[in-house]
Amino acid sequence: IEKSFTCRGNGETEMPPKWGLMPKKSSLMHAMPASVKGDVNAAGLKWISMYGDNPSRGLPALQGLVVLNDIESGTPIAVMDCGLVTEKRTAAAGVVAAKHLAFSDAKTMAIIGLGRVGVQHFVASLELLPHITHYFLFDFYPPSLENVKKLVAGLPTPHPEITYCTSAEEAVKDADIILTAISMTTEIKPCIKLEHLKEKVTFIAQDYDAAFTADCFAKADEFIADDTAQYQFTKKGGPNFAEFPMNPNADMGEVMSKKYKLKEGIKRRGVIFLGIATHDIVTAKLVYDKAKELGKGTLLDICLLYTSDAADDMQCVDLGGRRIIKKKKKK
């Protein structure tokens, strides 16, 4: 993820802002294409749906597919479920933000939202942020909190102190770093207000404008996005971020490529990560390479139909076990 941010800052990626649909309230469908050059050298697309009320149907809130392509030929080389890819890369991005954007004396962290992504936040933070001595955990749904308690019970000791909170306000009031990943439903209104925050804090939203009120960002000393173009595209398209600032000070690509120097002597740094497609492609490529190494996955014999009159006279071409059928030109 760090490498993906750096590639983005150095102009080694192609990633249009994610295009989306809102078929109903509390829902999103996003098409997220990207390519990453350099050592990654991969391209592909994630098609994902996010339905915040799906757990009540017994379905995951996040569902979809990632299609990975060979960057030289364009040939599709893998199709995979996007659930785990999204969970891992989202949590990794949040923890990378905490690692690089939190103040050097940060010792406490609040994690708001303990669903599949939130749990990954916690697990990744334990590994990558060893200086955190106290966690404050909260979720609106008691079963999610109980699942985390079971996870904590299996942790080796000693481990950081953990407080299970009864509200978001309780969780954030003593936190030096705040990470949020709550469900984006109409039933849950922004639960973290400016007056809830410590005087000195880094707060990281990975749930659009679901958790923080707009004045948290309007009055932050510094505002960092994962990708400025995508944030501004989303804000302009509405309805999200209506009262939020239009212009971040920088995005994470600029920070990681050292094209932007973080402000010194400030108190509050706000961060919004919407999730970017380059992270999906980088993560999917790691999964694909590991699957090949271990001999995992299912080889598909796929058939791609071409109907263009511009197709050549060849009726089929064999590409490594994939039979591509082309329409023959009319004489």
Coordinates of all heavy atoms in Angstrom, one line a residue, residues 27-113:
S27 N -26.8 2.6 -0.2 CA -26.2 1.7 -1.1 C -25.3 2.4 -2.0 O -25.5 3.6 -2.3 CB -27.2 0.9 -1.9 OG -27.8 1.7 -2.9
L28 N -24.3 1.7 -2.5 CA -23.4 2.2 -3.6 C -22.9 1.0 -4.4 O -22.8 -0.1 -4.0 CB -22.1 2.8 -2.9 CG -22.2 4.1 -2.2 CD1 -20.8 4.4 -1.5 CD2 -22.5 5.2 -3.2
M29 N -22.7 1.3 -5.7 CA -22.1 0.3 -6.6 C -21.0 1.1 -7.3 O -21.2 2.2 -7.9 CB -23.0 -0.3 -7.6 CG -24.0 -1.2 -7.1 SD -25.1 -1.9 -8.4 CE -26.1 -3.1 -7.5
H30 N -19.7 0.6 -7.2 CA -18.6 1.4 -7.8 C -17.8 0.5 -8.8 O -17.6 -0.7 -8.6 CB -17.6 1.8 -6.7 CG -18.1 3.0 -6.0 ND1 -17.7 3.3 -4.7 CD2 -18.9 4.1 -6.4 CE1 -18.2 4.5 -4.3 NE2 -18.9 4.9 -5.3
A31 N -17.5 1.1 -9.9 CA -16.5 0.6 -10.9 C -15.2 1.3 -10.7 O -15.1 2.5 -10.7 CB -17.0 0.7 -12.3
M32 N -14.1 0.5 -10.4 CA -12.8 1.1 -10.0 C -11.7 0.5 -10.8 O -11.1 -0.5 -10.4 CB -12.6 0.8 -8.5 CG -13.7 1.4 -7.6 SD -13.6 1.0 -5.9 CE -12.0 1.7 -5.4
P33 N -11.4 1.1 -12.0 CA -10.3 0.6 -12.8 C -9.0 1.3 -12.4 O -9.0 2.4 -11.9 CB -10.7 1.0 -14.2 CG -11.5 2.3 -14.0 CD -12.2 2.1 -12.7
A34 N -7.9 0.6 -12.6 CA -6.6 1.2 -12.3 C -5.4 0.4 -12.9 O -5.6 -0.8 -13.2 CB -6.3 1.4 -10.8
S35 N -4.3 1.1 -13.2 CA -3.1 0.4 -13.5 C -2.0 1.0 -12.7 O -2.0 2.1 -12.4 CB -2.8 0.5 -15.0 OG -2.5 1.8 -15.4
V36 N -1.0 0.1 -12.4 CA 0.1 0.5 -11.6 C 1.4 0.0 -12.3 O 1.5 -1.2 -12.6 CB 0.1 0.0 -10.2 CG1 1.3 0.5 -9.3 CG2 -1.2 0.3 -9.5
K37 N 2.3 0.9 -12.6 CA 3.5 0.6 -13.3 C 4.6 0.2 -12.3 O 4.3 -0.2 -11.2 CB 3.9 1.7 -14.2 CG 2.9 2.1 -15.3 CD 3.3 3.3 -16.1 CE 2.2 3.7 -17.1 NZ 2.6 4.9 -17.9
G38 N 5.9 0.3 -12.7 CA 7.0 0.0 -11.8 C 7.0 -1.4 -11.5 O 6.8 -2.3 -12.3
D39 N 7.4 -1.7 -10.2 CA 7.6 -3.1 -9.8 C 6.3 -3.9 -9.8 O 6.3 -5.1 -10.0 CB 8.2 -3.2 -8.4 CG 9.6 -2.6 -8.3 OD1 10.2 -2.6 -9.4 OD2 10.0 -2.2 -7.2
V40 N 5.1 -3.2 -9.6 CA 3.8 -3.9 -9.6 C 3.4 -4.4 -11.0 O 3.1 -5.5 -11.2 CB 2.8 -3.0 -9.0 CG1 1.4 -3.7 -8.9 CG2 3.2 -2.6 -7.6
N41 N 3.4 -3.4 -11.9 CA 3.1 -3.7 -13.3 C 1.8 -4.5 -13.5 O 1.9 -5.7 -14.0 CB 4.3 -4.5 -13.9 CG 4.4 -4.2 -15.5 OD1 4.1 -3.1 -15.9 ND2 4.8 -5.2 -16.2
A42 N 0.7 -4.0 -13.1 CA -0.6 -4.7 -13.1 C -1.7 -3.7 -13.4 O -1.6 -2.5 -13.2 CB -0.8 -5.4 -11.8
A43 N -2.8 -4.3 -14.0 CA -3.9 -3.5 -14.3 C -5.2 -4.3 -14.0 O -5.1 -5.6 -14.0 CB -3.9 -3.0 -15.7
G44 N -6.3 -3.6 -13.8 CA -7.5 -4.4 -13.6 C -8.7 -3.5 -13.1 O -8.6 -2.3 -13.2
L45 N -9.7 -4.1 -12.7 CA -11.0 -3.4 -12.3 C -11.6 -4.1 -11.1 O -11.7 -5.4 -11.1 CB -12.0 -3.5 -13.5 CG -13.4 -3.1 -13.2 CD1 -13.5 -1.5 -13.1 CD2 -14.3 -3.6 -14.3
K46 N -12.1 -3.3 -10.2 CA -12.9 -3.9 -9.1 C -14.4 -3.3 -9.3 O -14.6 -2.2 -9.6 CB -12.4 -3.4 -7.7 CG -13.3 -4.0 -6.6 CD -12.7 -3.8 -5.2 CE -13.0 -2.4 -4.7 NZ -12.6 -2.3 -3.3
W47 N -15.3 -4.2 -9.3 CA -16.8 -3.9 -9.3 C -17.4 -4.3 -8.0 O -17.4 -5.5 -7.7 CB -17.4 -4.6 -10.5 CG -18.9 -4.4 -10.6 CD1 -19.9 -5.3 -10.5 CD2 -19.6 -3.2 -10.8 NE1 -21.2 -4.8 -10.6 CE2 -21.0 -3.4 -10.8 CE3 -19.2 -1.8 -11.0 CZ2 -22.0 -2.5 -11.0 CZ3 -20.2 -0.9 -11.2 CH2 -21.6 -1.2 -11.2
I48 N -17.7 -3.3 -7.2 CA -18.1 -3.6 -5.8 C -19.4 -3.0 -5.5 O -19.7 -1.9 -5.9 CB -17.0 -3.1 -4.8 CG1 -17.4 -3.5 -3.4 CG2 -16.8 -1.6 -4.9 CD1 -16.2 -3.3 -2.4
S49 N -20.2 -3.7 -4.7 CA -21.5 -3.1 -4.1 C -21.3 -3.0 -2.6 O -20.7 -3.8 -2.0 CB -22.7 -3.9 -4.5 OG -22.6 -5.2 -3.8
M50 N -21.9 -1.9 -2.0 CA -21.8 -1.7 -0.6 C -23.2 -1.4 -0.2 O -23.8 -0.3 -0.4 CB -20.9 -0.5 -0.3 CG -19.4 -0.8 -0.6 SD -18.4 0.7 -0.5 CE -18.6 1.4 -2.1
Y51 N -23.8 -2.3 0.5 CA -25.2 -2.2 1.0 C -25.1 -2.3 2.6 O -25.0 -3.4 3.1 CB -26.1 -3.3 0.5 CG -26.6 -3.0 -0.9 CD1 -25.8 -2.7 -2.0 CD2 -28.0 -2.9 -1.2 CE1 -26.2 -2.4 -3.3 CE2 -28.5 -2.6 -2.4 CZ -27.6 -2.4 -3.5 OH -28.1 -2.1 -4.7
G52 N -25.2 -1.1 3.3 CA -25.1 -1.1 4.7 C -26.1 -1.9 5.5 O -25.8 -2.4 6.6
D53 N -27.2 -2.2 4.9 CA -28.3 -3.0 5.6 C -28.2 -4.4 5.3 O -29.1 -5.2 5.7 CB -29.7 -2.4 5.4 CG -30.0 -2.3 3.9 OD1 -29.2 -2.6 3.1 OD2 -31.1 -1.8 3.6
N54 N -27.3 -4.9 4.5 CA -27.2 -6.3 4.1 C -27.0 -7.3 5.2 O -27.6 -8.4 5.2 CB -26.1 -6.5 3.1 CG -26.6 -6.6 1.6 OD1 -27.8 -6.4 1.4 ND2 -25.7 -6.9 0.7
P55 N -26.3 -6.9 6.3 CA -26.2 -7.9 7.4 C -27.6 -8.4 7.9 O -27.7 -9.5 8.4 CB -25.4 -7.2 8.4 CG -24.5 -6.3 7.6 CD -25.4 -5.8 6.5
S56 N -28.6 -7.5 7.9 CA -29.9 -7.9 8.3 C -30.5 -8.9 7.4 O -31.5 -9.6 7.8 CB -30.8 -6.6 8.4 OG -31.0 -6.1 7.1
R57 N -30.0 -9.0 6.2 CA -30.5 -10.1 5.2 C -29.6 -11.3 5.3 O -29.8 -12.3 4.6 CB -30.4 -9.5 3.8 CG -31.2 -8.3 3.5 CD -31.1 -8.0 2.0 NE -31.9 -6.8 1.7 CZ -31.5 -5.6 1.7 NH1 -30.2 -5.3 2.0 NH2 -32.3 -4.6 1.4
G58 N -28.6 -11.3 6.2 CA -27.7 -12.4 6.2 C -26.6 -12.4 5.1 O -26.0 -13.4 4.8
L59 N -26.4 -11.2 4.5 CA -25.5 -11.0 3.4 C -24.4 -10.1 3.8 O -24.6 -9.2 4.7 CB -26.2 -10.5 2.2 CG -27.2 -11.3 1.5 CD1 -28.0 -10.6 0.5 CD2 -26.6 -12.6 0.9
P60 N -23.2 -10.2 3.2 CA -22.1 -9.2 3.5 C -22.5 -7.8 3.1 O -23.1 -7.7 2.0 CB -20.9 -9.8 2.8 CG -21.3 -11.2 2.4 CD -22.7 -11.2 2.3
A61 N -22.0 -6.8 3.8 CA -22.2 -5.4 3.3 C -21.5 -5.1 2.0 O -21.9 -4.4 1.2 CB -21.8 -4.5 4.4
L62 N -20.3 -5.7 1.9 CA -19.5 -5.6 0.7 C -19.5 -6.8 -0.1 O -19.2 -7.9 0.4 CB -18.0 -5.3 1.1 CG -17.7 -4.0 1.9 CD1 -16.2 -4.0 2.3 CD2 -18.2 -2.8 1.2
Q63 N -19.8 -6.7 -1.4 CA -19.8 -7.8 -2.4 C -19.2 -7.4 -3.7 O -19.5 -6.2 -4.1 CB -21.2 -8.4 -2.5 CG -21.8 -8.9 -1.3 CD -23.2 -9.5 -1.5 OE1 -23.3 -10.7 -1.8 NE2 -24.2 -8.7 -1.5
G64 N -18.6 -8.2 -4.4 CA -18.2 -7.9 -5.8 C -17.0 -8.7 -6.3 O -16.6 -9.7 -5.7
L65 N -16.4 -8.3 -7.4 CA -15.3 -9.0 -8.0 C -14.2 -8.1 -8.4 O -14.4 -6.9 -8.6 CB -15.8 -9.7 -9.3 CG -17.0 -10.7 -9.2 CD1 -17.5 -11.1 -10.6 CD2 -16.5 -11.9 -8.4
V66 N -13.0 -8.7 -8.4 CA -11.8 -8.0 -9.0 C -11.4 -8.8 -10.3 O -11.3 -10.1 -10.2 CB -10.6 -8.0 -8.1 CG1 -9.4 -7.3 -8.7 CG2 -11.0 -7.2 -6.8
V67 N -11.2 -8.1 -11.4 CA -10.7 -8.7 -12.6 C -9.3 -8.2 -12.8 O -9.1 -7.0 -12.9 CB -11.5 -8.5 -13.8 CG1 -10.9 -9.1 -15.1 CG2 -13.0 -9.0 -13.6
L68 N -8.3 -9.1 -12.8 CA -6.9 -8.7 -13.0 C -6.5 -9.0 -14.4 O -6.8 -10.1 -14.9 CB -6.0 -9.4 -12.0 CG -4.6 -8.9 -11.7 CD1 -4.7 -7.5 -11.1 CD2 -3.9 -9.9 -10.8
N69 N -5.8 -8.0 -15.1 CA -5.4 -8.2 -16.4 C -3.9 -8.2 -16.6 O -3.2 -7.6 -15.8 CB -5.9 -7.1 -17.3 CG -7.4 -7.1 -17.4 OD1 -8.1 -6.7 -16.5 ND2 -7.9 -7.4 -18.6
D70 N -3.4 -9.0 -17.6 CA -2.0 -8.9 -18.0 C -1.8 -7.5 -18.6 O -2.4 -7.2 -19.6 CB -1.6 -10.0 -18.9 CG -0.2 -9.9 -19.4 OD1 0.7 -10.2 -18.6 OD2 0.0 -9.5 -20.6
I71 N -0.8 -6.8 -18.1 CA -0.6 -5.4 -18.5 C -0.1 -5.3 -19.9 O -0.2 -4.3 -20.6 CB 0.2 -4.6 -17.5 CG1 -0.1 -3.1 -17.6 CG2 1.7 -4.9 -17.7 CD1 0.4 -2.3 -16.4
E72 N 0.6 -6.4 -20.4 CA 1.2 -6.3 -21.7 C 0.2 -6.7 -22.8 O 0.2 -6.0 -23.9 CB 2.4 -7.3 -21.8 CG 3.5 -7.0 -20.8 CD 4.2 -5.6 -21.1 OE1 4.2 -5.2 -22.3 OE2 4.6 -5.0 -20.1
S73 N -0.6 -7.7 -22.6 CA -1.6 -8.1 -23.6 C -3.0 -7.7 -23.4 O -3.8 -7.8 -24.3 CB -1.5 -9.6 -23.8 OG -2.0 -10.3 -22.6
G74 N -3.3 -7.3 -22.1 CA -4.7 -7.0 -21.8 C -5.5 -8.3 -21.5 O -6.7 -8.1 -21.1
T75 N -4.9 -9.4 -21.6 CA -5.6 -10.7 -21.3 C -6.1 -10.8 -19.8 O -5.2 -10.6 -18.9 CB -4.8 -11.9 -21.6 OG1 -4.3 -11.8 -23.0 CG2 -5.5 -13.2 -21.4
P76 N -7.3 -11.1 -19.5 CA -7.7 -11.3 -18.2 C -7.0 -12.5 -17.6 O -7.0 -13.6 -18.2 CB -9.2 -11.6 -18.2 CG -9.7 -11.0 -19.6 CD -8.5 -11.1 -20.5
I77 N -6.4 -12.4 -16.5 CA -5.6 -13.5 -15.9 C -6.2 -14.0 -14.6 O -5.8 -15.1 -14.1 CB -4.1 -13.1 -15.7 CG1 -4.0 -11.8 -14.8 CG2 -3.4 -12.9 -17.0 CD1 -2.6 -11.5 -14.4
A78 N -7.1 -13.3 -14.0 CA -7.7 -13.7 -12.7 C -9.0 -13.0 -12.4 O -9.1 -11.8 -12.7 CB -6.7 -13.5 -11.6
V79 N -9.9 -13.7 -11.9 CA -11.1 -13.2 -11.3 C -11.2 -13.6 -9.9 O -11.1 -14.8 -9.6 CB -12.4 -13.7 -12.1 CG1 -13.7 -13.1 -11.5 CG2 -12.3 -13.3 -13.6
M80 N -11.4 -12.7 -9.0 CA -11.5 -13.1 -7.6 C -12.5 -12.3 -6.8 O -12.9 -11.2 -7.2 CB -10.1 -12.9 -6.9 CG -9.5 -11.5 -6.9 SD -7.8 -11.4 -6.3 CE -6.9 -12.0 -7.7
D81 N -13.0 -12.9 -5.7 CA -13.9 -12.2 -4.8 C -13.2 -11.0 -4.3 O -12.0 -11.0 -3.9 CB -14.3 -13.1 -3.7 CG -15.3 -12.4 -2.7 OD1 -16.5 -12.3 -3.0 OD2 -14.8 -12.0 -1.7
C82 N -13.9 -9.8 -4.2 CA -13.3 -8.6 -3.8 C -13.4 -8.4 -2.3 O -12.8 -7.4 -1.7 CB -13.8 -7.4 -4.5 SG -15.4 -6.8 -3.9
G83 N -14.1 -9.2 -1.5 CA -14.4 -9.0 -0.1 C -13.1 -8.9 0.7 O -12.8 -7.9 1.3
L84 N -12.3 -10.0 0.7 CA -11.1 -10.0 1.5 C -10.1 -9.0 1.0 O -9.4 -8.3 1.8 CB -10.5 -11.4 1.5 CG -9.4 -11.6 2.5 CD1 -9.8 -11.4 3.9 CD2 -8.8 -13.1 2.3
V85 N -10.0 -8.8 -0.4 CA -9.1 -7.8 -1.0 C -9.4 -6.4 -0.4 O -8.5 -5.7 0.0 CB -9.2 -7.8 -2.5 CG1 -8.5 -6.6 -3.1 CG2 -8.6 -9.1 -3.1
T86 N -10.7 -6.1 -0.4 CA -11.2 -4.8 0.1 C -10.9 -4.6 1.6 O -10.4 -3.6 2.0 CB -12.6 -4.6 -0.2 OG1 -12.9 -4.7 -1.6 CG2 -13.1 -3.2 0.3
E87 N -11.2 -5.7 2.4 CA -10.9 -5.6 3.8 C -9.5 -5.3 4.1 O -9.1 -4.5 4.9 CB -11.4 -6.9 4.5 CG -12.9 -7.1 4.5 CD -13.2 -8.5 4.8 OE1 -12.4 -9.2 5.5 OE2 -14.3 -9.0 4.4
K88 N -8.6 -6.1 3.5 CA -7.2 -6.1 3.8 C -6.6 -4.7 3.3 O -5.8 -4.1 4.1 CB -6.5 -7.2 3.1 CG -6.8 -8.6 3.6 CD -6.2 -8.8 5.0 CE -6.4 -10.2 5.5 NZ -5.8 -10.4 6.9
R89 N -6.9 -4.3 2.1 CA -6.3 -3.1 1.6 C -6.8 -1.8 2.3 O -6.1 -0.9 2.6 CB -6.4 -3.0 0.1 CG -7.8 -2.8 -0.5 CD -8.3 -1.3 -0.5 NE -9.2 -1.0 -1.5 CZ -10.1 -0.1 -1.4 NH1 -10.4 0.5 -0.2 NH2 -10.9 0.2 -2.4
T90 N -8.1 -1.9 2.7 CA -8.7 -0.7 3.4 C -8.0 -0.6 4.8 O -7.6 0.5 5.2 CB -10.2 -0.9 3.6 OG1 -10.8 -1.0 2.3 CG2 -10.8 0.3 4.3
A91 N -7.9 -1.7 5.5 CA -7.3 -1.7 6.8 C -5.8 -1.3 6.7 O -5.3 -0.5 7.5 CB -7.4 -3.0 7.5
A92 N -5.1 -1.8 5.7 CA -3.7 -1.5 5.5 C -3.5 0.0 5.2 O -2.7 0.7 5.8 CB -3.1 -2.3 4.4
A93 N -4.4 0.6 4.4 CA -4.4 2.0 4.1 C -4.6 2.9 5.3 O -3.9 3.9 5.6 CB -5.4 2.4 3.0
G94 N -5.5 2.5 6.2 CA -5.8 3.2 7.4 C -4.6 3.2 8.3 O -4.3 4.2 8.9
V95 N -4.0 2.0 8.5 CA -2.9 1.9 9.4 C -1.6 2.6 8.8 O -0.8 3.2 9.5 CB -2.6 0.4 9.7 CG1 -1.3 0.3 10.5 CG2 -3.8 -0.2 10.4
V96 N -1.5 2.6 7.5 CA -0.4 3.4 6.8 C -0.6 4.9 7.1 O 0.3 5.6 7.4 CB -0.4 3.1 5.3 CG1 0.4 4.2 4.6 CG2 0.2 1.7 5.1
A97 N -1.9 5.3 7.1 CA -2.2 6.7 7.4 C -1.8 7.0 8.8 O -1.2 8.1 9.1 CB -3.6 7.0 7.1
A98 N -2.1 6.1 9.7 CA -1.8 6.4 11.1 C -0.3 6.4 11.3 O 0.3 7.2 12.1 CB -2.4 5.3 12.0
K99 N 0.4 5.5 10.6 CA 1.9 5.4 10.8 C 2.6 6.7 10.3 O 3.5 7.2 10.9 CB 2.4 4.2 9.9 CG 3.9 4.1 9.9 CD 4.2 2.9 9.0 CE 5.7 2.8 8.7 NZ 6.1 1.7 7.8
H100 N 2.1 7.3 9.2 CA 2.8 8.4 8.6 C 2.2 9.8 8.9 O 2.9 10.8 8.8 CB 2.8 8.2 7.1 CG 3.6 7.1 6.6 ND1 5.0 7.2 6.4 CD2 3.3 5.8 6.2 CE1 5.5 6.0 6.0 NE2 4.5 5.2 5.9
L101 N 0.9 9.8 9.4 CA 0.3 11.1 9.6 C 0.0 11.4 11.1 O -0.2 12.6 11.4 CB -1.0 11.1 8.8 CG -0.9 10.9 7.3 CD1 -2.3 11.0 6.7 CD2 -0.1 12.0 6.7
A102 N 0.1 10.4 11.9 CA -0.1 10.7 13.4 C 1.1 11.4 13.9 O 2.2 11.4 13.4 CB -0.4 9.4 14.1
F103 N 0.8 12.2 15.0 CA 1.9 12.9 15.7 C 2.8 11.9 16.4 O 2.4 10.9 16.8 CB 1.3 13.9 16.6 CG 0.4 14.9 15.9 CD1 -1.0 14.9 16.1 CD2 1.0 15.9 15.0 CE1 -1.8 15.8 15.5 CE2 0.2 16.8 14.4 CZ -1.2 16.8 14.6
S104 N 4.1 12.3 16.5 CA 5.1 11.4 17.0 C 4.9 10.9 18.4 O 5.4 9.9 18.8 CB 6.5 12.1 16.9 OG 6.5 13.3 17.6
D105 N 4.1 11.7 19.2 CA 3.9 11.3 20.6 C 2.6 10.6 20.8 O 2.2 10.4 22.0 CB 3.9 12.6 21.5 CG 2.9 13.6 21.1 OD1 2.3 13.5 20.0 OD2 2.8 14.6 21.8
A106 N 2.0 10.1 19.7 CA 0.7 9.4 19.8 C 0.9 8.0 20.5 O 1.8 7.3 20.2 CB 0.1 9.2 18.5
K107 N 0.0 7.8 21.5 CA 0.1 6.5 22.3 C -1.2 5.8 22.4 O -1.2 4.6 22.7 CB 0.6 6.8 23.7 CG 2.0 7.4 23.8 CD 3.1 6.4 23.4 CE 4.5 7.0 23.6 NZ 5.5 6.1 23.0
T108 N -2.3 6.5 22.1 CA -3.6 5.9 22.2 C -4.4 5.9 20.9 O -4.2 6.9 20.1 CB -4.5 6.6 23.3 OG1 -4.6 8.0 23.0 CG2 -3.8 6.5 24.7
M109 N -5.2 4.9 20.7 CA -6.0 4.8 19.4 C -7.4 4.4 19.7 O -7.6 3.5 20.4 CB -5.3 3.9 18.4 CG -6.1 3.6 17.2 SD -5.3 2.4 16.0 CE -4.3 3.5 15.1
A110 N -8.4 5.1 19.0 CA -9.8 4.7 19.0 C -10.1 4.1 17.7 O -9.7 4.6 16.6 CB -10.7 5.8 19.3
I111 N -10.8 2.9 17.7 CA -11.3 2.3 16.5 C -12.8 2.3 16.6 O -13.3 1.6 17.5 CB -10.7 0.9 16.2 CG1 -9.2 1.0 16.1 CG2 -11.3 0.3 15.0 CD1 -8.5 -0.3 15.9
I112 N -13.5 3.0 15.7 CA -14.9 3.0 15.7 C -15.4 2.3 14.5 O -15.1 2.6 13.3 CB -15.4 4.5 15.6 CG1 -14.6 5.4 16.6 CG2 -16.9 4.6 15.8 CD1 -14.8 5.1 18.0
G113 N -16.2 1.2 14.8 CA -16.7 0.3 13.7 C -15.8 -0.9 13.7 O -14.6 -0.9 13.4

